[in-house]
Amino acid sequence: MLLALLPVAGLLAFTAFSALAQWDEARTLERFHSAIDVSFAATEVSDAVARERIDAVRARLRPDTATLAERSASRRATDRALDDAVEQADSRRRAAPGSRPDSPPGSRPEDRTAEELDAVSRRLSAVRVRAGLGALSARAIAQRYQDIEDTLLDTAADLETGRPTRAAGRAADAHLAILEAVEAAERERVELAVLLDTPTGHRPAAAGRWSALEEAHLREFRQIASDRLRAALYQAQFARSGRAVRAVRALLADPEPPTARWPSYGGWLADSTARIDALRAVQARAARDLADTAAADLADARTRAARDLTVSLAVLTAVALLALALGRSITRPLREVTAGARALSAGDLSFAIRYAGHDELGDVADTFRELRLMTERLAAEIRSMNSAVDDNRLEHRVDVTGFDGTWAQLLGGMNATMASFAAAQGRRRKAERELEDIFHLSLDLLCILGVDGTFRRVNPAFERTLGHPRDTLLARHPLDLVHAEDRETTRAAMERLAGGSEPVEFENRFVCPDGTECWLQWSARPVPEEGLVYAVARDVTERRRAAREQSALRRVATRVARGEPPERVFGAVAREVEELLGAEVAAVLRHESDGALTVLGTAHGTGREGEAAAREVIRTRAPARVGRSVGAPIVVDGRLWGVVVADARQEPAAEPEAFAASAVPAAVPAASRLADFTELIAAAIANADSRAQLSASRARVVAAGDDSRRRIERDLHDGVQQRLVALQLDLRLAESLVTDASSELGRQLAHVGKGLEDASHDLLQVARGIHPAILSKGGLGPALRSLARRCAVPVELDLRLPARRLPERVEVAAYYVVSECLTNAVKHAHARVVTVDAHARDGVMELTVRDDGGGGAEPGRGSGLIGLVDRVEAIGGRLDLHSPPGEGTVLRIRAPLDGPPPHG
């Protein structure tokens, strides 16, 4: 009992000590709360004195009825604030916690505050008397009030130095910082009022010490104040009055401030007063925060003190009750526990011990009771395990956590046995699920058949591959779906499986609903004891088709490699197409520039439907089908060169009943297979390397011609033309030496000079014709306009060219095309008007030249048009000529703007 009472006594002592500490803290907080109330009263006096100071200074600077009345009103307000502060200090001093009548005077801040306020009252009276007599200047008045303000601020700071908690300390520091900042602003207002009242020529330099002091206090306030107070300060500083005060400070900080921009006396007082009022509003918020913080701390301390006192009383009550309980007799529990021990020694576990004391005897009684309950629980768990095994609830487990020692080991062994049964069952179910997943997800065709060959079960791959729904596959015999040519081999394989043969492998064709054939490779194994056959099939249609196509491609490639004539190559291509697609006819057609189709290779000719399919391919530039004919495009160097067409065979007369309504093989697979040969056909009709070499050779020839023209033009300009100019200068010098210009020598020299001038002009025209300088300098547009002006017939220009220069090769080609066309229109066509249209868009330049001449122009007759064709094709363009006799001539070129240089 003593051991139990010792910690209780210690806890009681600790609780009592904590309660005393809490009550002491509460008294300290109450004293602080009383002190800040007095501090707020002193702050009110400080605000009233500050207002009286500015009114007194204004009355001294500019005395009139209004300012004197305002000074009197502010004095009365100050007196009322002083009386209220003195009364507040006296009442708080008398009601302060822990105050005693015999306390020495001045021992607490409240006592000192009353004395300091009395001294302030006396000093105010002295300043008022001297200011009323005119014995003090404005600056002296401000200094006297400033000393009083310092006393009041020190009093407030002394009252708020208690700081019993951290939160109260921060709130007090913030309140004092904003008080100091407001006082600095007040002193600045007074000093600048005196400064601005001074005549302009005698204004002293203003010091910025008060603004710096104010900023220092505001910086301290922002560091410790709450977010709400900082936001209020921000609004006060950036209001209109705040901006006006900062502008005045910046003006006075200038060593040579422009006096014309100085604020007026009244304007400064209005702006600074508004700003100080805004700062006082922030000060009021800081005071409220300080009061709220002190009140909250005091309430919390009182709550804790009451709680600790309650706990102490509760502990005392508990100790008393414990002492009473320990005084009871323990003989009865001892007899009951002894009887229980005898019953246990006799093996009788049904004896019930009723004693439930919380002591050593109670522990012994609890042990006997737990032993009896443990036995009953163990029997119940064994019965539940047996029932779970009978009901196949293999997930059932005994809760071993309620047992210890040997009992826990026994039940753990039972759980392990049940877990082994459950694991075996789970593995079996997992294996079944995995097999089911594999069966449904396999890309191969998995099925189970009866010994009669009918499907018992098929996986989804059958439906995806053959296209028949699952119900159809299960309802019909597989031989009904097999191709007629493969039915006998399939039937023989089924008979071997029904006889119990080893795994059988074979291939056959199934007919899909759309009439196409699907090759399947089978591997099957019979299970005679179950009367089933397990089979796996793989779709090898594409593999067999690819092998046939590769063989055909190798045969055609061999012909191409041997250099056989194109007609024999095209004929071989047509025959291979006919063989691969099972078509009746096949042909290779070339698409001519005039839209005609030329048959280059054929197998058994082509009909109207084949020609219609070819026209459809030309129109869409994609594989197409018309009736029983399919076609695929042959593309060479990015353009449609020709078409391969094939006509499918007629349907067999005797098809299985299930497919009597089947269609001809689908167009898409046939056209797709047909399109696979386009690359080989393109290689057979045009050797890409030879064509590239031809284009490069043509580009080099054209580029070399252009370079030669530029070189000749440069040589004529820099050589012969310069020499002619030098001879003209020498001749002019010789003419100046002749004294009689009318003499025979003078006339001869003038005649020779005129000849030299004409020769130089002719040479200049020749040089410009070889390579026009305006094309190099101005671009294609100005060059074409120059050609139009020099042409003998009217030329209408419609030029829509970009502002930037076109590639040089395009400009040169277009210039010579237009030049040749204008020359032909004048000399040969005898045209009356020529129209030139040129525009560039989407990276392509299109040029069209039309005339209303006689027409009949043909590039193949050796005219200059042959050179134009070479030049246009050399830059990757195309030239089209339409010139029927008697209907004029239309020449069009289309050239890329962003292609690589043709001779690069």
Side-chain angles (χ1 to χ4, degrees):
M1 184 176 65
L2 292 176
L3 292 176
L5 290 177
L6 283 176
V8 174
L11 177 62
L12 179 62
F14 175 79
T15 305
F17 176 80
S18 176
L20 292 175
Q22 294 294 338
W23 280 110
D24 183 70
E25 181 182 358
R27 287 195 298 272
T28 302
L29 288 170
E30 190 170 355
R31 286 195 295 271
F32 178 73
H33 190 271
S34 176
I36 63 172
D37 287 342
V38 179
S39 172
F40 292 159
T43 303
E44 293 293 334
V45 176
S46 174
D47 295 343
V49 170
R51 294 187 181 94
E52 181 180 342
R53 173 176 56 191
I54 188 62
D55 291 339
V57 170
R58 290 174 58 204
R60 181 68 179 84
L61 294 175
R62 298 185 181 183
D64 54 25
T65 303
T67 56
L68 293 175
E70 291 175 359
R71 183 183 65 179
S72 299
S74 61
R75 286 179 177 179
R76 290 193 295 272
T78 302
D79 292 337
R80 287 194 298 272
L82 267 171
D83 293 340
D84 294 340
V86 171
E87 182 180 356
Q88 180 78 2
D90 290 337
S91 62
R92 291 295 181 180
R93 179 173 58 83
R94 290 191 299 270
S99 61
R100 298 188 299 273
D102 56 349
S103 298
S107 60
R108 292 179 302 170
E110 294 87 342
D111 301 333
R112 295 193 298 273
T113 301
E115 297 173 0
E116 290 169 354
L117 291 176
D118 185 66
V120 166
S121 178
R122 293 194 299 272
R123 292 167 64 185
L124 273 174
S125 300
V127 172
R128 290 171 180 174
V129 170
R130 298 193 64 185
L133 296 175
L136 297 176
S137 64
R139 292 185 181 277
I141 292 172
Q143 184 61 43
R144 297 292 191 281
Y145 278 101
Q146 179 175 328
D147 296 337
I148 296 172
E149 281 286 323
D150 289 340
T151 300
L152 291 172
L153 291 177
D154 291 340
T155 300
D158 186 42
L159 289 169
E160 295 180 14
T161 54
R163 303 166 187 242
T165 64
R166 182 177 181 182
R170 289 179 63 88
D173 289 340
H175 181 242
L176 293 175
I178 193 66
L179 279 177
E180 295 288 350
V182 171
E183 175 58 22
E186 290 278 9
R187 294 174 182 179
E188 180 188 31
R189 176 170 62 167
V190 172
E191 183 171 339
L192 288 185
V194 176
L195 171 67
L196 295 173
D197 185 72
T198 305
T200 304
H202 302 86
R203 290 182 178 179
R209 60 186 181 278
W210 299 124
S211 60
L213 181 60
E214 174 193 342
E215 181 58 31
H217 289 304
L218 289 180
R219 188 183 304 112
E220 180 184 0
F221 175 78
R222 283 191 291 268
Q223 290 176 354
I224 59 179
S226 63
D227 294 339
R228 184 172 60 85
L229 292 178
R230 285 197 293 270
L233 177 62
Y234 180 84
Q235 293 178 357
Q237 285 184 313
F238 288 91
R240 190 203 61 77
S241 58
R243 296 194 301 270
V245 169
R246 286 199 304 274
V248 172
R249 290 175 178 175
L251 181 65
L252 296 178
D254 192 348
E256 296 181 3
T259 57
R261 293 174 54 192
W262 282 22
S264 64
Y265 171 83
W268 164 253
L269 287 178
D271 291 336
S272 61
T273 300
R275 182 174 180 274
I276 290 172
D277 290 341
L279 291 178
R280 288 192 187 282
V282 179
Q283 171 196 334
R285 289 189 179 187
R288 286 196 298 273
D289 284 356
L290 176 57
D292 294 341
T293 302
D297 291 342
L298 178 59
D300 184 64
R302 287 175 175 173
T303 301
R304 290 197 303 271
R307 182 189 61 204
D308 292 345
L309 180 59
T310 302
V311 171
S312 299
L313 294 176
V315 171
L316 285 174
T317 302
V319 171
L321 294 176
L322 179 62
L324 291 176
L326 291 176
R328 298 181 60 185
S329 175
I330 63 172
T331 58
R332 183 182 59 81
L334 281 175
R335 287 195 300 269
E336 188 174 357
V337 170
T338 301
R342 291 193 183 99
L344 179 62
S345 64
D348 183 9
L349 297 179
S350 62
F351 184 84
I353 299 177
R354 291 183 296 274
Y355 178 72
H358 299 285
D359 51 13
E360 291 80 357
L361 294 175
D363 293 340
V364 175
D366 290 341
T367 303
F368 284 121
R369 283 192 291 269
E370 289 176 359
L371 180 59
R372 177 185 176 186
L373 294 176
M374 183 69 68
T375 305
E376 293 177 353
R377 288 174 53 202
L378 183 61
E381 291 294 346
I382 293 175
R383 288 193 298 269
S384 66
M385 181 68 75
N386 293 333
S387 299
V389 173
D390 294 338
D391 297 339
N392 198 27
R393 291 183 288 107
L394 302 182
E395 71 280 0
H396 177 77
R397 298 291 184 275
V398 176
D399 186 8
V400 184
T401 58
F403 300 89
D404 296 320
T406 304
W407 306 121
Q409 294 177 5
L410 175 61
L411 294 179
M414 295 176 61
N415 283 341
T417 302
M418 183 67 81
S420 299
F421 285 132
Q425 184 73 4
R427 287 193 295 270
R428 183 179 65 83
R429 293 178 179 176
K430 180 180 179 182
E432 291 176 353
R433 289 194 300 270
E434 290 175 350
L435 289 176
E436 191 72 14
D437 292 341
I438 293 173
F439 185 83
H440 285 88
L441 298 177
S442 174
L443 297 179
D444 290 333
L445 287 71
L446 307 179
C447 65
I448 302 175
L449 302 94
V451 292
D452 59 349
T454 58
F455 287 118
R456 300 293 179 85
R457 188 177 182 185
V458 295
N459 70 337
F462 266 87
E463 299 179 70
R464 293 194 300 267
T465 304
L466 301 181
H468 293 285
R470 178 176 176 274
D471 294 338
T472 300
L473 293 172
L474 297 178
R476 309 207 45 163
H477 197 281
L479 288 177
D480 295 338
L481 309 177
V482 175
H483 195 277
E485 298 177 1
D486 297 333
R487 288 175 186 170
E488 289 300 323
T489 58
T490 303
R491 184 179 290 109
M494 287 184 175
E495 291 175 355
R496 291 198 305 272
L497 290 171
S501 299
E502 290 298 322
V504 177
E505 296 183 357
F506 62 97
E507 291 186 1
N508 61 6
R509 285 171 289 177
F510 273 69
V511 181
C512 300
D514 60 356
T516 58
E517 300 173 359
C518 180
W519 278 92
L520 297 182
Q521 183 182 20
W522 290 87
S523 178
R525 182 177 65 85
V527 184
E529 60 271 17
E530 297 180 4
L532 298 176
V533 174
Y534 295 91
V536 179
R538 178 170 297 173
D539 184 6
V540 294
T541 305
E542 292 300 326
R543 187 186 69 185
R544 293 177 66 92
R545 182 180 299 161
R548 293 177 59 195
E549 289 177 354
Q550 290 299 322
S551 298
L553 292 178
R554 282 194 297 271
R555 288 192 293 270
V556 175
T558 301
R559 290 178 178 271
V560 174
R562 287 202 298 261
E564 292 185 5
E567 59 272 19
R568 295 180 61 183
V569 173
F570 297 148
V573 170
R575 288 189 296 274
E576 296 292 350
V577 169
E578 178 182 316
E579 179 66 24
L580 287 175
L581 299 184
E584 290 183 344
V585 295
V588 179
L589 310 178
R590 182 174 63 195
H591 179 225
E592 305 295 350
S593 59
D594 58 357
L597 292 173
T598 302
V599 179
L600 299 181
T602 181
H604 305 101
T606 180
R608 293 183 178 179
E609 290 182 349
E611 184 175 355
R615 295 293 181 186
E616 182 66 16
V617 170
I618 292 172
R619 187 182 68 83
T620 61
R621 297 179 64 88
R625 176 181 181 178
V626 176
R628 294 186 302 110
S629 298
V630 293
I634 304 174
V635 179
V636 177
D637 292 338
R639 65 185 182 87
L640 183 64
W641 180 88
V643 182
V644 173
V645 295
D647 290 351
R649 289 192 177 98
Q650 295 289 343
E651 296 175 306
E655 279 287 12
E657 180 182 353
F659 305 109
S662 297
V664 182
V668 174
S672 176
R673 283 181 284 161
L674 186 59
D676 291 339
F677 286 87
T678 56
E679 293 183 5
L680 179 62
I681 297 171
I685 65 173
N687 188 311
D689 184 44
S690 299
R691 188 179 188 281
Q693 292 179 6
L694 178 60
S695 298
S697 175
R698 178 183 289 164
R700 286 193 296 271
V701 170
V702 172
D706 291 341
D707 292 341
S708 298
R709 289 187 178 90
R710 292 189 186 90
R711 185 172 60 256
I712 294 172
E713 186 270 339
R714 185 172 59 252
D715 292 341
L716 290 176
H717 182 273
D718 297 341
V720 178
Q721 188 177 1
Q722 297 300 323
R723 182 59 177 163
L724 289 176
V725 171
L727 290 175
Q728 281 183 293
L729 294 176
D730 292 341
L731 187 60
R732 297 302 180 192
L733 179 60
E735 284 182 322
S736 65
L737 297 176
V738 178
T739 57
D740 187 5
S742 60
S743 63
E744 183 65 21
L745 179 58
R747 290 195 299 273
Q748 287 296 328
L749 290 176
H751 177 71
V752 173
K754 182 65 170 60
L756 285 175
E757 184 177 354
D758 293 340
S760 178
H761 178 73
D762 294 341
L763 182 62
L764 178 61
Q765 295 299 323
V766 171
R768 289 177 176 175
I770 292 174
H771 187 78
I774 190 171
L775 181 63
S776 301
K777 296 179 180 179
L780 182 59
L784 294 183
R785 295 187 185 94
S786 177
L787 282 177
R789 287 193 298 269
R790 297 201 305 268
C791 185
V793 298
V795 179
E796 297 179 357
L797 295 177
D798 183 11
L799 306 180
R800 286 166 289 174
L801 301 175
R804 59 180 178 84
R805 291 288 298 273
L806 301 179
E808 181 182 5
R809 65 185 187 280
V810 177
E811 290 185 342
V812 172
Y815 178 84
Y816 283 116
V817 166
V818 175
S819 178
E820 183 67 20
C821 289
L822 294 181
T823 301
N824 291 340
V826 174
K827 293 183 177 180
H828 306 295
H830 306 291
R832 289 171 297 177
V833 64
V834 180
T835 302
V836 178
D837 297 332
H839 63 271
R841 62 171 176 264
D842 299 331
V844 176
M845 190 203 74
E846 295 184 0
L847 174 67
T848 304
V849 182
R850 297 183 179 87
D851 65 58
D852 57 355
E858 295 182 6
R861 294 185 177 180
S863 64
L865 294 176
I866 297 178
L868 297 183
V869 173
D870 293 340
R871 179 176 290 277
V872 172
E873 293 184 354
I875 63 173
R878 180 176 179 179
L879 185 145
D880 295 324
L881 178 66
H882 181 70
S883 182
E887 297 181 9
T889 301
V890 178
L891 185 144
R892 293 186 179 88
I893 68 169
R894 181 181 175 89
L897 298 178
D898 53 354
H903 55 280

